[in-house]
C-alpha cells in the first residue's frame, strides 16, 4: 500500500513530486483526446456539441473527464472502488482537477457554485466503508476553493448494481432512486462521479436538480467507458 505517495501508485517507481501519485510515464499512458464538452464523445477537435448530442441529448449541460476507462485508469479506479484502496482518492482527484482546468481553457468551462458527489445508498456505503465520489469531491473542493455539499442529494432506493445492465434496464433500475434533502439555492452545480458509463445515474440526478431550479448542471468524471 502506497499511503504516503513516495512511489507511483501504478508502477511503484520513485516519484519526482510525491504528491502527484502517478509518475509521468504512467500519466502519459492515460488515453486523453479531444471530446465533446457536453456528452464526452471522442472528436477530432474539442467542441461544445456533437452529432451524438443531437440524437441523444444528455440531461446535463457540460461534461469533464480525464480519459477512457482503460489502463491505467481502469485498474486505479477498480482498486479505489472495490479493493478498499481509499488512499488513491488524492491521485484520482488530481487527474480530474487537471481535466477541469483544461476544460476551462479548451471548453470555456465556468466553475460551479458547489460540488455534489453522487450519493451511495446507506447500505452500500456501509459495506464499502466510504463513498468514492465523496472522497474525490473533498480534494476538488479544497483545491478549487468551491464548497462541497454531500448532504443535499440522497439515494433513497437500494438498487442492484448497474454493471452488466443495458441502458434501458439501468434507467428502470434508477427510477425514483434519488431525492433532494433540502431547498436548493445553487444556480450552477458539478456532479462528481468516478466512472461514466451510460450516464443513466447522472441523467436521473440531473433531471431532479433541474426540477428544483438548477440552471446549469456539469458532470465531472474520472473516466468514461
Amino acid at each position: 500500500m502506497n499511503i504516503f505517495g513516495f512511489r507511483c501508485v501504478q508502477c511503484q517507481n520513485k516519484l519526482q513530486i510525491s504528491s502527484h501519485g502517478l509518475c509521468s510515464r504512467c500519466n502519459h499512458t492515460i488515453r486523453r483526446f479531444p471530446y465533446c464538452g457536453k456528452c464526452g464523445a471522442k472528436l477530432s477537435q474539442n467542441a461544445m456539441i456533437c452529432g451524438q448530442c443531437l440524437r441523444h441529448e444528455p440531461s446535463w449541460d457540460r461534461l469533464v473527464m480525464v480519459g477512457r476507462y482503460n489502463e491505467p485508469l481502469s485498474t486505479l479506479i477498480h482498486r479505489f472502488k472495490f479493493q478498499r484502496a481509499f488512499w488513491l482518492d488524492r491521485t484520482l482527484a488530481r487527474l480530474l482537477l487537471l481535466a477541469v482546468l483544461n476544460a476551462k481553457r479548451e471548453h470555456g468551462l465556468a466553475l460551479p457554485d458547489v460540488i455534489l458527489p453522487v450519493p451511495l445508498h446507506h447500505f452500500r456505503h456501509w459495506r464499502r466503508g466510504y463513498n468514492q465520489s465523496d472522497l474525490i469531491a473533498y480534494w476538488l473542493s479544497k483545491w478549487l476553493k468551491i464548497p462541497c455539499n454531500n448532504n443535499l442529494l440522497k439515494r433513497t432506493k437500494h438498487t442492484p448494481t448497474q454493471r452488466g445492465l443495458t441502458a434501458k434496464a439501468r434507467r428502470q433500475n434508477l427510477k425514483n432512486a434519488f431525492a433532494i434533502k433540502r431547498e436548493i439555492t445553487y444556480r450552477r452545480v458539478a456532479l462528481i462521479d468516478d466512472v461514466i458509463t451510460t450516464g443513466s445515474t447522472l441523467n436521473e440526478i440531473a433531471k431532479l436538480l433541474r426540477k428544483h431550479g438548477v440552471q446549469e448542471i456539469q458532470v465531472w468524471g474520472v473516466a468514461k467507458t
Side-chain angles (χ1 to χ4, degrees):
M1 183 181 295
N2 183 22
I3 294 178
F4 301 103
F6 299 125
R7 292 183 178 273
C8 174
V9 297
Q10 180 71 3
C11 70
Q12 296 302 307
N13 284 331
K14 288 185 179 180
L15 293 172
Q16 295 296 322
I17 303 176
S18 61
S19 61
H20 285 185
L22 273 183
C23 67
S24 58
R25 183 176 180 179
C26 287
N27 189 25
H28 289 153
T29 63
I30 297 174
R31 289 180 56 191
R32 297 177 173 91
F33 47 81
Y35 62 90
C36 172
K38 186 173 180 70
C39 74
K42 184 177 180 180
L43 301 176
S44 58
Q45 61 183 19
N46 286 316
M48 269 315 303
I49 196 165
C50 69
Q52 183 169 305
C53 292
L54 298 176
R55 292 189 300 272
H56 305 288
E57 185 175 8
S59 299
W60 60 78
D61 301 291
R62 308 294 295 270
L63 185 141
V64 177
M65 64 178 178
V66 177
R68 288 290 186 212
Y69 188 68
N70 296 315
E71 294 291 350
L73 282 181
S74 55
T75 293
L76 290 173
I77 291 172
H78 191 273
R79 288 165 61 195
F80 176 52
K81 192 170 181 177
F82 301 113
Q83 297 178 9
R84 298 185 181 276
F86 58 87
W87 43 271
L88 288 172
D89 59 345
R90 184 183 174 116
T91 298
L92 294 173
R94 181 179 177 275
L95 291 173
L96 187 48
L97 170 69
L98 296 177
V100 169
L101 296 178
N102 186 64
K104 284 185 66 181
R105 293 189 298 269
E106 299 292 331
H107 290 142
L109 183 79
L111 291 180
D113 303 321
V114 69
I115 292 172
L116 303 176
V118 171
L120 287 179
H121 187 269
H122 64 83
F123 179 71
R124 186 163 291 161
H125 194 154
W126 170 76
R127 288 190 62 184
R128 184 170 296 162
Y130 53 90
N131 178 354
Q132 71 279 0
S133 298
D134 201 4
L135 295 182
I136 292 173
Y138 164 80
W139 287 107
L140 292 170
S141 172
K142 180 177 180 179
W143 293 330
L144 292 169
K145 302 188 186 310
I146 299 172
C148 174
N149 190 331
N150 56 11
N151 291 311
L152 180 67
L153 298 171
K154 182 179 181 181
R155 190 157 193 154
T156 57
K157 183 179 175 184
H158 180 47
T159 56
T161 179
Q162 296 282 83
R163 283 176 293 164
L165 296 180
T166 64
K168 183 178 180 180
R170 284 171 180 256
R171 289 193 298 270
Q172 186 61 35
N173 193 31
L174 291 164
K175 191 174 182 180
N176 300 319
F178 299 96
I180 303 290
K181 294 173 66 175
R182 53 180 54 86
E183 183 182 358
I184 297 180
T185 58
Y186 309 112
R187 295 177 64 253
R188 179 184 291 125
V189 307
L191 294 171
I192 309 299
D193 209 356
D194 53 349
V195 181
I196 304 166
T197 307
T198 64
S200 299
T201 297
L202 296 160
N203 267 317
E204 195 70 20
I205 296 174
K207 290 175 185 175
L208 185 61
L209 290 170
R210 197 78 75 188
K211 289 179 181 177
H212 284 76
V214 178
Q215 295 180 20
E216 183 179 309
I217 300 164
Q218 301 175 9
V219 167
W220 298 358
V222 178
K224 190 175 188 300
T225 59

